[in-house]
Amino acid sequence: MTIVADEDILGGEPRVEGTRIGVRHIAGKVVSGGQTPAYVADQYDISLASVYEALSYYYANLEEMKGFERENAEAFERVHDDGLQPKEPVS
Protein backbone atom coordinates (compact mmCIF):
# COMPACT_ATOMS: atom_id res chain seq x y z
CA MET A 1 0.00 0.00 0.00
CA THR A 2 0.96 3.57 -0.35
CA ILE A 3 -0.36 6.96 0.64
CA VAL A 4 -1.95 8.96 -2.17
CA ALA A 5 -3.91 12.19 -2.60
CA ASP A 6 -6.54 12.95 -5.21
CA GLU A 7 -8.61 16.14 -5.26
CA ASP A 8 -11.73 14.10 -6.10
CA ILE A 9 -11.45 11.93 -2.98
CA LEU A 10 -11.53 13.34 0.57
CA GLY A 11 -10.96 16.82 -0.80
CA GLY A 12 -7.37 15.97 -1.65
CA GLU A 13 -6.38 14.77 1.79
CA PRO A 14 -3.81 11.96 1.90
CA ARG A 15 -5.36 8.51 2.17
CA VAL A 16 -4.52 4.84 1.94
CA GLU A 17 -4.42 3.94 -1.75
CA GLY A 18 -7.47 2.02 -2.94
CA THR A 19 -9.59 3.23 -0.02
CA ARG A 20 -11.35 6.33 1.24
CA ILE A 21 -9.55 6.01 4.59
CA GLY A 22 -7.68 9.21 5.31
CA VAL A 23 -4.36 9.48 7.07
CA ARG A 24 -6.04 11.83 9.57
CA HIS A 25 -8.72 9.22 10.29
CA ILE A 26 -6.13 6.62 11.15
CA ALA A 27 -3.97 9.02 13.16
CA GLY A 28 -7.03 10.23 15.03
CA LYS A 29 -7.93 6.70 16.10
CA VAL A 30 -4.40 5.83 17.21
CA VAL A 31 -2.97 9.15 18.43
CA SER A 32 -6.05 10.83 19.88
CA GLY A 33 -8.29 7.82 20.38
CA GLY A 34 -5.76 5.58 22.09
CA GLN A 35 -6.59 2.59 19.90
CA THR A 36 -3.86 0.18 18.93
CA PRO A 37 -2.66 0.09 15.33
CA ALA A 38 -3.74 -3.56 15.12
CA TYR A 39 -7.25 -2.68 16.27
CA VAL A 40 -7.50 0.17 13.74
CA ALA A 41 -6.28 -2.11 10.94
CA ASP A 42 -8.95 -4.63 11.88
CA GLN A 43 -11.70 -2.00 12.12
CA TYR A 44 -10.86 -0.48 8.72
CA ASP A 45 -10.08 -3.89 7.15
CA ILE A 46 -6.65 -2.76 6.01
CA SER A 47 -3.19 -4.16 6.66
CA LEU A 48 -1.26 -3.29 9.77
CA ALA A 49 1.50 -2.07 7.44
CA SER A 50 -0.97 0.45 5.95
CA VAL A 51 -1.76 1.78 9.41
CA TYR A 52 1.93 2.24 10.19
CA GLU A 53 2.52 3.82 6.78
CA ALA A 54 -0.31 6.28 7.44
CA LEU A 55 1.10 7.09 10.89
CA SER A 56 4.56 7.58 9.39
CA TYR A 57 3.11 9.93 6.77
CA TYR A 58 1.18 11.80 9.46
CA TYR A 59 4.28 12.48 11.54
CA ALA A 60 6.51 13.20 8.54
CA ASN A 61 3.99 15.80 7.31
CA LEU A 62 2.66 17.14 10.59
CA GLU A 63 2.23 20.75 9.41
CA GLU A 64 0.25 19.61 6.37
CA MET A 65 -1.92 17.39 8.58
CA LYS A 66 -2.53 20.21 11.07
CA GLY A 67 -3.53 22.42 8.12
CA PHE A 68 -6.13 19.87 7.04
CA GLU A 69 -7.37 19.66 10.63
CA ARG A 70 -7.76 23.45 10.79
CA GLU A 71 -9.56 23.58 7.44
CA ASN A 72 -11.91 20.83 8.53
CA ALA A 73 -12.66 22.53 11.86
CA GLU A 74 -13.30 25.88 10.12
CA ALA A 75 -15.63 24.25 7.56
CA PHE A 76 -17.52 22.51 10.37
CA GLU A 77 -17.93 25.81 12.21
CA ARG A 78 -19.22 27.55 9.08
CA VAL A 79 -21.79 24.84 8.43
CA HIS A 80 -22.76 24.74 12.09
CA ASP A 81 -23.15 28.51 12.34
CA ASP A 82 -25.08 28.75 9.06
CA GLY A 83 -27.40 25.98 10.17
CA LEU A 84 -28.33 27.80 13.37
CA GLN A 85 -29.38 31.04 11.70
CA PRO A 86 -33.12 31.40 11.07
CA LYS A 87 -33.98 32.47 7.54
CA GLU A 88 -36.46 35.04 8.80
CA PRO A 89 -37.17 36.54 12.19
CA VAL A 90 -39.35 34.51 14.48
CA SER A 91 -42.31 36.46 15.86
Side-chain angles (χ1 to χ4, degrees), residues 37-56:
Y39 180 80
V40 172
D42 185 54
Q43 292 301 301
Y44 282 133
D45 195 27
I46 58 176
S47 71
L48 185 56
S50 293
V51 172
Y52 280 113
E53 188 173 356
L55 291 171
S56 178

Side-chain angles (χ1 to χ4, degrees), residues 9-86:
I9 301 172
L10 296 180
E13 286 198 39
R15 61 183 173 82
V16 175
E17 184 177 36
T19 73
R20 295 182 60 84
I21 303 167
V23 167
R24 282 191 320 115
H25 299 125
I26 293 169
K29 297 268 187 192
V30 175
V31 176
S32 302
Q35 297 175 354
T36 66
Y39 180 80
V40 172
D42 185 54
Q43 292 301 301
Y44 282 133
D45 195 27
I46 58 176
S47 71
L48 185 56
S50 293
V51 172
Y52 280 113
E53 188 173 356
L55 291 171
S56 178
Y57 185 95
Y58 180 83
Y59 284 113
N61 300 280
L62 203 48
E63 287 305 312
E64 175 189 16
M65 296 290 96
K66 296 294 182 187
F68 282 122
E69 289 170 8
R70 278 190 302 274
E71 289 173 15
N72 191 57
E74 290 168 2
F76 179 81
E77 283 299 316
R78 282 192 305 275
V79 169
H80 182 263
D81 290 345
D82 290 346
L84 293 177
Q85 301 300 322

